[in-house]
Every structure is written in C-alpha cells, then in structure tokens.
Amino acid sequence: MIENFKNFTPYINPEDPLSVWLVGETYCDKTFKIYRECSDMTALEYIIDGTGTLDIEGQHLTPSKGDVYFLREGTHHKYEADEFNPWHKLWIVFYGDFANALIENYMPKNTYHFRNCAVKSYFEEIYKISTSDYPYDIMVNKITVQLLKIFMYLRDMSKFDTEGLAEVIKKYLDESIEDDFNLDKLCQQVNYSKNYVINVFKDKYNITPYKYFIDRKIEVSKSYLTHTNVSIGEIAKLLHYADQQYFSTVFKNSQGISPLKFRRLTRK
C-alpha cells in the first residue's frame, strides 16, 4: 500500500467551526482493511479507481470507481479493498460544529454511499490545498469551500431517484431542441457523471440522450415543414443545424426523403 497524507493535529483548535484533521491519497493493496467499533472520525472518500466493500450500520456497500463514501463519527464500520482491483482514493477527515451542520443539512439520513459522482476535481483541489504552503487557517477556509461544493452535490444527487432523473433529463433535452447537443452542460445541470446520465436515460427510454435529441429535432422540423411556411433554410437555422445542406442530409438519412419532398407530400 502507498499512502501520502498530511496530519494537521498540531494546528487544530477545538473551538473552530470546522477543523481539518487529515487529508490524503491512498493506493490500496489486497491487504487494505479497516475496522472501527465506534469511529472517532468523520470522513469523505472518493474512489479514483478500483473497488471494494464497506459495511456500515448494517449496510453492505460496494464503493467503486467514481463513487463517494461517507464515514460518520460514532458509526460501526469495516471497509476493505478488493483483492484483485484495489482502491485508489482521495480522502479527507474533518470535524467541528460547522461540519456537523453540513452533515445534518446536506446529507440524506442513513446514506453512506453515492454512486457516479462528478466531484473528482473538488477532492483533487482539497488535496492540492492541503499540500500547499498556506497557513492552517487559510488552508481550512479554502478546503471548506470545496467541502461545501461536495455536500451540495451529494444533496442534489439525493433529490432524484433513477426514474425521476430520467424525466428531468428528458425535459432538459426537450427544452433545448433549438440548441446544439451539449452533454457536458446537461451533466452539469443535473449534477451527475456522463456515464450515469446516459445509462439512466437509456434504461428508462431505451435510447441514448443524444439519439433522443436528434430524433426530437427531426420531429420538430417535420412539424415546421407540415404546418408553417418557414423556409427550409430558416428551419435549419432555428434548429441550430450548421447549414441547410447539412439539415437536408440529416433529414433524408432519417426519413428517406428530402425536407422539400416531405413538405410537398404532407401538404397534398
């Protein structure tokens, strides 16, 4: 096992609203196993790669690449890396009245595992800040900002169940038909990773978000062609195609006929 971490015990003031105790990065091996009967620490850990198991308060969980798990002070827990695909993770241990307020207000009750979290950059920034030359107080302030971002993200994740999230994605795509498809922007909007967004949507509607978006554009263009006198060039502009020729090519590939022929046939 390879572990790099910073221990800030000498700088901690128990009266501070949030104290950072430990920040680190761990490359686990098959021997990595931790057991705490009644934990004296609160921690958030992000899995960069690998898999493993976490048993906490009667729950058996399997945190893997892209996941976050939460270890709360006072819990009984055991966690260990997979023998053949052990964890590589970033983590932070913290406590204080403000930390407790974040947990109470942002963390769903009895939830210790969050899948497919787009928070790697926040954990990387925490680690970077912890290894800088900032005075402890300034370092804690900067880390607190990143922790708040993580807690807000985890709270937003918990608002959606799988079915509800798919519907939110669909609504977003429907409202963006006159724009370009932008998966990064969509993922930012719903606070989920690309793979998770694609898989949730496909499980619900049996189609990828991109394919759904393209098909909806075609349906909207058919409505324009049938029910309005808007020119084909203007329809291409309205629906954000590169130009009329590209729109015509996409339309013909989808419908088997050109937009002009479709208009003539549907107006007989």
Side-chain angles (χ1 to χ4, degrees):
M1 181 178 73
I2 301 174
E3 188 167 47
N4 301 306
F5 68 93
K6 297 280 287 185
N7 187 331
F8 299 102
T9 301
Y11 308 103
I12 291 174
N13 180 351
E15 296 181 0
D16 288 344
L18 189 142
S19 295
V20 175
W21 182 0
L22 301 163
V23 177
E25 179 178 20
T26 304
Y27 295 84
C28 303
D29 58 24
K30 64 182 181 180
T31 67
F32 181 86
K33 183 182 295 185
I34 303 291
Y35 173 75
R36 299 187 182 97
E37 182 67 29
C38 183
S39 178
D40 63 346
M41 62 175 60
T42 293
L44 283 170
E45 309 206 2
Y46 175 80
I47 309 301
I48 297 174
D49 203 2
T51 189
T53 60
L54 167 64
D55 292 284
I56 182 168
E57 299 297 289
Q59 299 182 37
H60 181 74
L61 308 169
T62 55
S64 302
K65 181 179 179 179
D67 296 355
V68 170
Y69 63 85
F70 172 53
L71 304 173
R72 187 166 188 176
E73 183 179 2
T75 58
H76 304 273
H77 55 248
K78 177 180 71 174
Y79 54 109
E80 57 185 295
D82 181 80
E83 180 179 358
F84 302 104
N85 186 24
W87 287 319
H88 169 204
K89 58 182 183 171
L90 292 167
W91 48 270
I92 178 171
V93 179
F94 56 97
Y95 62 88
D97 290 341
F98 183 64
N100 292 334
L102 287 175
I103 293 166
E104 292 302 323
N105 287 284
Y106 288 91
M107 296 294 276
K109 300 295 183 184
N110 302 315
T111 303
Y112 304 99
H113 182 200
F114 303 85
R115 293 191 179 277
N116 297 293
C117 298
V119 294
K120 182 180 179 182
S121 61
Y122 303 149
F123 278 88
E124 288 177 334
E125 186 64 17
I126 287 173
Y127 185 77
K128 179 180 176 181
I129 292 168
S130 74
T131 57
S132 69
D133 294 327
Y134 292 118
Y136 177 75
D137 289 348
I138 294 176
M139 182 203 73
V140 169
N141 288 341
K142 291 181 176 292
I143 286 178
T144 298
V145 172
Q146 302 304 315
L147 274 177
L148 180 58
K149 291 178 182 178
I150 294 169
F151 275 107
M152 291 175 67
Y153 178 94
L154 298 179
R155 178 198 61 185
D156 290 343
M157 278 190 70
S158 68
K159 289 181 180 179
F160 303 118
D161 59 22
T162 300
E163 182 178 357
L165 176 59
E167 292 171 354
V168 169
I169 295 168
K170 181 176 179 292
K171 182 180 178 182
Y172 176 88
L173 294 173
D174 288 340
E175 293 174 349
S176 305
I177 286 300
E178 295 184 356
D179 298 322
D180 287 327
F181 181 80
N182 189 325
L183 184 58
D184 288 328
K185 187 176 179 181
L186 168 57
C187 293
Q188 185 179 26
Q189 186 74 18
V190 298
N191 273 337
Y192 282 93
S193 68
K194 292 180 181 179
N195 286 339
Y196 192 69
V197 164
I198 293 169
N199 290 335
V200 164
F201 192 86
K202 191 172 182 180
D203 286 345
K204 172 71 173 177
Y205 297 110
N206 201 32
I207 190 173
T208 65
Y210 177 73
K211 183 65 166 59
Y212 173 82
F213 186 79
I214 297 304
D215 289 351
R216 283 289 293 128
K217 270 190 183 289
I218 293 297
E219 290 304 311
V220 172
S221 70
K222 287 164 67 176
S223 181
Y224 275 120
L225 291 166
T226 302
H227 303 295
T228 76
N229 293 318
V230 177
S231 70
I232 293 173
E234 284 300 312
I235 293 173
K237 288 181 181 178
L238 285 169
L239 295 178
H240 224 274
Y241 288 98
D243 52 42
Q244 180 176 335
Q245 183 176 354
Y246 179 65
F247 165 60
S248 296
T249 299
V250 172
F251 189 94
K252 187 171 184 179
N253 287 340
S254 172
Q255 301 300 304
I257 57 176
S258 69
L260 181 59
K261 188 171 183 178
F262 180 85
R263 171 168 271 176
R264 287 172 177 167
L265 289 172
T266 56
R267 290 197 168 187
K268 282 184 176 180

